[in-house]
């Protein structure tokens, strides 16, 4: 891999205030020790298997395959994990690490609420305090997840600064961490932020591609031709890609939130519309205005509504190893409804971005080709928002 001292090519790094340097150095040293510790890995594997419900299923979407008439489609069912998304993989790893470091308190940012729910869940399980920062707009879009976090014993702090969405929640959580490092671990939810977070989160999420690899060899006797996932910050996508990066015959496709279109200002498609910058402690690609300020972004999906992308994704794009494609709100909503009606699986609106692009490319592929799409989460949380999008109000 091209990773070196927290860099992926030119991307990554530690662009943080001095007040945080001790915290990230402490975290890096602890992670480097525990990642190879047999006892830590045994405990984490037990949590994955006994608590989170891993390995997650690799499901042959037979009706979808036949209806589209091209490549054979498999779905990696991260929606079946405890808490309903891939987020629990990373959170169980980070919470266990924090516990080993002697921390008693977890803080986290959340967009769609799935990372917040996962963090609140791990805190409840391990007897830790938990505070989750969530943009005020997202608390309205994802009211169910706000209640779930509170039910699990966490405080939820609505963030009203900026656009009141995910980027502002990240900024607020970093600010809080700066002032309370001794007993608090920032459980960052994606492969972004200062080193070592992009590496830590990737390593805990890489269980997804490890399992896909094993499951495909067992079911088909070979590796897939295409592996796909939605991308916001990029944790489920890097988890889906990681164990295939060296397999040059496997196409890696990340599906970004184009919102109302990449030719509009209402988009969150970072690779398609962004340029290199520094934000939230890392160098990567970001959506920016003409003056280099971080631009407001938009997506129907609160989980993809972030103006940047993790540094390892930026590097995979630079070297041409992974493709990043924009998917609009309309396309994602159609895919959300399509999978629900075709396979009886209601996907998260985030995951529906990847399903939408598969619906485009699968019909033109040969029948012996194999596609794996990671369904990063389940869509219960999105039903009210999609109903409103379609002009219905399920609470009337």
């Amino acid at each position: 891999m091209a990773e070196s001292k927290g860099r992926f090519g030119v991307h990554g790094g530690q662009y943080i205030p001095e007040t945080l340097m001790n915290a990230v150095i402490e975290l890096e040293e602890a992670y480097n020790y525990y990642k190879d510790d047999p006892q830590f890995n045994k405990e984490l594997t037990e949590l994955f298997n006994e608590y989170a419900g891993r390995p997650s299923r690799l499901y042959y979407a037979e009706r979808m395959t036949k209806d589209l008439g091209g490549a054979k489609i498999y779905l990696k069912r991260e929606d079946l994990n405890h808490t309903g998304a891939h987020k629990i993989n990373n959170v169980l790893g980070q919470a266990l690490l924090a516990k080993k470091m002697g921390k008693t308190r977890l803080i986290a940012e959340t967009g769609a609420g799935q990372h917040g729910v996962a963090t609140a869940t791990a805190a409840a399980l391990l007897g830790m305090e938990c505070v989750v920062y969530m943009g005020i707009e997202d608390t309205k879009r994802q009211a169910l997840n706000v209640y779930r976090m509170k039910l699990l014993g966490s405080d939820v702090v609505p963030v009203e600064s900026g656009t009141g969405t995910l980027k502002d929640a990240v900024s607020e959580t970093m600010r809080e961490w700066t002032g309370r490092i001794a007993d608090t671990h920032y459980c960052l939810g994606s492969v972004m932020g200062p080193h070592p977070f992009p590496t830590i989160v990737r390593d805990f999420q890489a269980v997804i591609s490890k399992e896909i690899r094993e499951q495909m060899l067992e079911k088909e006797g070979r590796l897939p031709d295409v592996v796909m996932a939605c991308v916001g910050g990029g944790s489920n996508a890097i988890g889906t890609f990681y164990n295939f990066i060296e397999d040059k015959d496997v196409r890696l496709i990340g599906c970004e939130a184009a919102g109302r279109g990449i030719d509009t200002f209402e988009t969150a498609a970072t690779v398609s519309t962004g340029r290199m910058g520094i934000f939230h402690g890392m160098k990567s690609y970001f959506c920016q205005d003409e003056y280099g300020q971080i631009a407001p972004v938009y997506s129907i999906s609160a989980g993809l509504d972030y103006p940047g992308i993790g540094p390892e994704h930026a590097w995979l794009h630079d070297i041409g190893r992974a493709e990043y494609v924009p998917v609009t709100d309309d396309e994602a909503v159609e895919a959300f409804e399509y999978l629900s009606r075709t396979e009886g699986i209601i996907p998260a609106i985030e995951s529906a971005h990847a399903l939408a692009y598969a619906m485009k490319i699968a019909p033109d592929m040969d029948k012996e080709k194999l596609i794996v799409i990671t369904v990063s989460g389940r869509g219960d949380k999105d039903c009210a928002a999609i109903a409103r999008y379609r002009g219905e109000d399920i609470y009337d």
Side-chain angles (χ1 to χ4, degrees):
M1 299 299 158
E3 183 186 351
S4 158
K5 293 186 179 166
R7 293 279 181 180
F8 302 91
V10 298
H11 304 283
Q14 289 176 321
Y15 297 89
I16 52 174
E18 229 175 286
T19 46
L20 274 184
M21 278 309 297
N22 285 341
V24 297
I25 290 166
E26 179 195 21
L27 178 61
E28 184 178 10
E29 287 173 354
Y31 180 65
N32 286 338
Y33 175 78
Y34 283 111
K35 72 178 181 180
D36 299 318
D37 178 53
Q39 183 59 30
F40 178 85
N41 285 305
K42 178 173 177 283
E43 287 178 45
L44 183 59
T45 301
E46 281 174 7
L47 285 171
F48 277 176
N49 296 352
E50 301 301 321
Y51 189 70
R54 302 209 71 85
S56 66
R57 300 282 178 266
L58 186 70
Y59 168 74
Y60 169 43
E62 186 175 0
R63 280 172 52 81
M64 183 178 179
T65 298
K66 286 179 178 168
D67 183 65
L68 294 175
K72 192 171 182 181
I73 297 169
Y74 281 91
L75 306 178
K76 182 59 170 164
R77 299 288 309 277
E78 293 297 295
D79 58 311
L80 296 179
N81 293 341
H82 178 46
T83 71
H86 70 291
K87 294 292 188 183
I88 196 74
N89 306 328
N90 164 50
V91 167
L92 286 174
Q94 282 200 55
L96 187 61
L97 179 62
K99 191 94 173 169
K100 300 277 187 194
M101 291 169 70
K103 307 294 182 186
T104 57
R105 189 169 171 269
L106 298 177
I107 58 172
E109 85 297 332
T110 198
Q114 290 301 109
H115 175 61
V117 167
T119 306
T121 299
L125 176 70
L126 297 176
M128 303 174 83
E129 278 182 60
C130 183
V131 180
V132 179
Y133 291 85
M134 189 173 191
I136 188 88
E137 285 305 307
D138 294 337
T139 64
K140 295 170 191 168
R141 290 196 282 191
Q142 300 292 348
L144 171 64
N145 277 340
V146 173
Y147 179 74
R148 289 170 78 196
M149 287 182 265
K150 290 178 177 175
L151 182 64
L152 289 157
S154 289
D155 290 333
V156 179
V157 179
V159 178
E160 298 187 33
S161 57
T163 53
T165 56
L166 181 56
K167 81 172 175 65
D168 309 295
V170 174
S171 300
E172 202 57 42
T173 318
M174 282 193 167
R175 197 172 295 122
E176 152 81 1
W177 194 33
T178 306
R180 193 165 167 180
I181 290 164
D183 66 346
T184 299
H185 172 67
Y186 178 8
C187 190
L188 211 154
S190 198
V191 284
M192 54 189 221
H195 175 71
F197 282 111
T199 301
I200 290 175
V201 179
R202 177 203 68 201
D203 288 353
F204 289 141
Q205 290 294 1
V207 67
I208 300 172
S209 52
K210 177 178 176 286
E211 288 177 7
I212 292 173
R213 203 183 170 85
E214 292 164 356
Q215 290 165 325
M216 283 304 289
L217 290 171
E218 188 183 320
K219 288 175 183 288
E220 293 285 348
R222 69 183 184 87
L223 297 181
D225 298 287
V226 179
V227 174
M228 303 174 62
C230 64
V231 178
S235 65
N236 107 86
I238 210 70
T240 300
F241 295 171
Y242 186 64
N243 285 293
F244 295 108
I245 290 173
E246 298 301 313
D247 301 295
K248 304 302 184 197
D249 293 336
V250 179
R251 268 179 84 190
L252 307 177
I253 305 176
C255 303
E256 299 192 295
R260 296 201 169 95
I262 57 171
D263 54 347
T264 75
F265 290 112
E266 294 180 286
T267 185
T270 304
V271 174
S272 300
T273 66
R275 59 187 195 273
M276 198 180 297
I278 294 169
F279 188 53
H280 285 158
M282 62 180 174
K283 181 182 280 189
S284 188
Y285 291 115
F286 298 96
C287 298
Q288 301 169 57
D289 66 17
E290 58 187 307
Y291 303 108
Q293 297 297 309
I294 299 300
V297 291
Y298 162 78
S299 165
I300 191 172
S301 151
L304 304 182
D305 199 355
Y306 182 72
I309 193 166
E312 190 163 6
H313 284 296
W315 172 70
L316 290 173
H317 164 73
D318 286 356
I319 63 171
R321 179 62 191 96
E323 305 160 49
Y324 295 86
V325 297
V327 176
T328 65
D329 283 1
D330 282 350
E331 291 168 329
V333 170
E334 281 174 25
F336 177 87
E337 294 168 342
Y338 177 82
L339 193 71
S340 301
R341 291 170 183 165
T342 308
E343 292 288 350
I345 297 168
I346 302 173
I349 191 64
E350 290 80 11
S351 316
H353 285 72
L355 292 157
Y357 195 70
M359 288 163 64
K360 273 188 188 173
I361 66 170
D364 297 326
M365 293 170 67
D366 293 339
K367 288 191 189 315
E368 69 273 9
K369 296 290 186 185
L370 303 171
I371 297 177
V372 177
I373 311 157
T374 295
V375 179
S376 55
R378 64 174 192 242
D380 319 38
K381 67 183 177 59
D382 300 306
C383 289
I386 304 305
R388 282 194 297 274
Y389 187 81
R390 288 301 194 202
E392 304 170 38
D393 192 335
I394 61 176
Y395 295 115
D396 268 358

